[in-house]
Amino acid sequence: MPGFELFGDQERAAVQEVLDTGVLMRYGFDGMRNGHWKAKELETALAVRMQVKHAQLLSSGTAALTVALASAGIGAGDEVIMPTFTFVASFESILALGAIPVLVDIDDTLTLDPRAVENAITERTKVVMPVHMCGSMADLKALKALCEKHGLLLLEDACQAIGGTFEGVPLGSYGDIGCFSFDYVKTITCGEGGAIITNNSVYHKNADHFSDHGHDHIGLDRGAESHPFLGYNYRISELNAAVGLAQIMRLDAFLALQKKHYTILRDALEPIEGVTFRRVPEGGEESYAFLNFFLPDEGTAKAVHRSLIAAGLDACFYWYDNNWHYYRKWDHLVEKKSLGKLPIEVREGLPDYKRADFSKSDHWMGRTVSCLIKLGWTVEEVRERAAIMAKTIEPQL
């Protein structure tokens, strides 16, 4: 991660095919395409790889989350349970529909704690949205049981975890709907792009229409298509889809590289007393996009992170102080800052996060250091990095 590190002839050839036709839009212009439909081809390839019936490409991972929620009928005033550790797109997509993001604590998986989820369920709750941050998953079995018990939608945000599995099935396909991001820094990239996957034909049909201004895509004359309901523009371009199509064909090779590099780093840290690792739920296998480990306390974690950066290891993160990925810096959400007037459902229904107690999340995030696993490293570079990490961390414990 990320796939742009290994751009090559496959990506260039796929993009050139689109440029040669001159058709950059995914819909229409049938006669000019010479049989090239990159978005459709990528949707087919993604559905096969993720073992689902349907895939719908979108313009971004944020668009995927928004369209997934809309396709299931989520709207004004509906509550969506999400974790305190994620990217801001998670609550942005919810707010875009006038729905309410309900933040709850994470556990040692670094994503939703099922006990916290159950305590947060109300009569307005419609969705539980685990976010598989940094390549690994929540306790999906427990969350699915909760959703079945309460009649809720299980929406997997797998934007950072493509290629991971749970109980033998790809992440994103275990719940009712799964979402992926194919932005520039993901394991496979379209440059900009995203997708939803589902086995529910109604959700897929809704997503197909909603993401293209409500077009029903019936017939061969785009201008004559009807609009069964309101929609918006979340389309991906053929150029972006072409890059993604080339990259998905390389996904297994990318995952093998990630696992190799991850394993070298983890093997170097495991013998160090005081270093422990995030829990991967039984039956799960992460995508190995990040190596996440815990230090004994917040002070040690901060010191270790500073030392790793000083040692030249710039792919290490301390999410606890991060502006974009942890609730502590989400002042714009807490203070409801918006360019325009927010819907009344949001203004009145959003919890008062100024008074929220997320100390259980802080317990885990304050002690976490996370290292991005790069595809472009050589084995020698990874081994050198592992040695530097061990040499830097051990004296501080």
Side-chain angles (χ1 to χ4, degrees), residues 5-7 17 36 72 79 113 126-127 129 160 163 167 170-171 209 222 244 276 278 281 287-288 294 298 306 324:
E5 296 178 82
L6 298 181
F7 275 168
E17 286 179 355
H36 293 296
E79 292 181 353
D113 180 345
K126 303 296 181 183
V127 183
M129 186 169 75
Q160 287 194 7
E167 295 186 340
L171 293 181
H209 297 1
R222 180 169 172 79
T276 56
R278 82 183 293 179
S287 72
Y288 306 102
F294 303 124
E298 179 185 330
R306 286 194 299 266
W324 296 97

Side-chain angles (χ1 to χ4, degrees), residues 133-155:
M133 286 293 288
C134 300
S136 192
M137 71 231 62
D139 276 315
L140 284 171
K141 190 171 184 178
L143 293 176
K144 189 169 189 176
L146 281 176
C147 288
E148 290 174 349
K149 176 182 176 180
H150 295 278
L152 306 175
L153 185 83
L154 181 58
L155 192 164

Side-chain angles (χ1 to χ4, degrees), residues 40-118:
K40 290 182 180 180
E41 291 175 43
L42 179 50
E43 286 169 345
T44 297
L46 185 62
V48 170
R49 180 61 178 76
M50 296 300 149
Q51 302 173 24
V52 293
K53 294 178 181 178
H54 309 291
Q56 182 72 35
L57 284 178
L58 290 312
S59 55
S60 68
T62 311
L65 292 167
T66 306
V67 172
L69 291 165
S71 73
I74 305 305
D78 294 334
E79 292 181 353
V80 180
I81 293 176
M82 55 166 280
T84 52
F85 176 43
T86 180
F87 184 56
V88 293
S90 298
F91 65 76
E92 289 171 347
S93 63
I94 298 166
L95 292 171
L97 299 171
I100 310 299
V102 177
L103 276 59
V104 305
D105 276 315
I106 61 169
D107 57 19
D108 57 346
T109 65
L110 297 183
T111 185
L112 286 179
D113 180 345
R115 292 168 297 183
V117 169
E118 186 159 32

Side-chain angles (χ1 to χ4, degrees), residues 49-351:
R49 180 61 178 76
M50 296 300 149
Q51 302 173 24
V52 293
K53 294 178 181 178
H54 309 291
Q56 182 72 35
L57 284 178
L58 290 312
S59 55
S60 68
T62 311
L65 292 167
T66 306
V67 172
L69 291 165
S71 73
I74 305 305
D78 294 334
E79 292 181 353
V80 180
I81 293 176
M82 55 166 280
T84 52
F85 176 43
T86 180
F87 184 56
V88 293
S90 298
F91 65 76
E92 289 171 347
S93 63
I94 298 166
L95 292 171
L97 299 171
I100 310 299
V102 177
L103 276 59
V104 305
D105 276 315
I106 61 169
D107 57 19
D108 57 346
T109 65
L110 297 183
T111 185
L112 286 179
D113 180 345
R115 292 168 297 183
V117 169
E118 186 159 32
N119 290 337
I121 293 173
T122 73
E123 62 182 10
R124 296 177 298 279
T125 306
K126 303 296 181 183
V127 183
V128 174
M129 186 169 75
V131 183
H132 305 322
M133 286 293 288
C134 300
S136 192
M137 71 231 62
D139 276 315
L140 284 171
K141 190 171 184 178
L143 293 176
K144 189 169 189 176
L146 281 176
C147 288
E148 290 174 349
K149 176 182 176 180
H150 295 278
L152 306 175
L153 185 83
L154 181 58
L155 192 164
E156 293 178 73
D157 179 343
C159 289
Q160 287 194 7
I162 191 168
T165 62
F166 183 71
E167 295 186 340
V169 301
L171 293 181
S173 69
Y174 189 85
D176 299 291
I177 310 178
C179 295
F180 297 105
S181 170
F182 301 135
D183 74 18
Y184 194 54
V185 293
K186 295 301 188 291
T187 300
I188 60 172
T189 181
C190 293
E192 287 287 356
I196 70 169
I197 58 172
T198 184
N199 286 311
N200 186 305
S201 59
V202 174
Y203 295 162
H204 173 247
K205 183 178 180 180
N206 288 345
D208 172 76
H209 297 1
F210 183 79
S211 61
D212 184 29
H213 300 291
H215 278 263
D216 64 9
H217 299 143
I218 296 174
L220 299 177
D221 182 355
R222 180 169 172 79
E225 292 172 3
S226 64
H227 304 82
F229 49 73
L230 290 170
Y232 302 89
N233 181 7
Y234 294 107
R235 298 188 302 258
I236 196 171
S237 78
E238 285 287 275
L239 281 174
N240 293 106
V243 176
L245 182 61
Q247 290 249 302
I248 198 171
M249 303 305 178
R250 308 174 68 191
L251 176 58
D252 289 333
F254 289 177
L255 293 172
L257 269 178
Q258 284 184 173
K259 185 174 183 178
K260 180 192 293 185
H261 296 169
Y262 172 104
T263 302
I264 292 171
L265 295 180
R266 177 160 175 155
D267 286 349
L269 300 189
E270 275 194 304
I272 302 175
E273 187 175 350
V275 172
T276 56
F277 299 88
R278 82 183 293 179
R279 178 171 61 88
V280 177
E282 183 179 355
E285 181 173 12
E286 55 189 309
S287 72
Y288 306 102
F290 289 80
L291 175 66
N292 302 278
F293 57 94
F294 303 124
L295 283 306
D297 53 65
E298 179 185 330
T300 303
K302 287 184 176 181
V304 164
H305 178 253
R306 286 194 299 266
S307 298
L308 292 172
I309 297 299
L313 305 184
D314 60 348
C316 294
F317 302 92
Y318 185 62
W319 301 113
Y320 189 67
D321 289 337
N322 184 275
N323 282 350
W324 296 97
H325 294 83
Y326 194 49
Y327 83 92
R328 294 175 68 240
K329 298 295 182 74
W330 293 345
D331 293 340
H332 56 319
L333 173 65
V334 173
E335 297 174 12
K336 304 177 187 177
K337 295 180 180 178
S338 175
L339 291 178
K341 189 175 181 180
L342 290 169
I344 190 171
E345 291 85 357
V346 173
R347 297 200 311 272
E348 296 182 355
L350 195 68

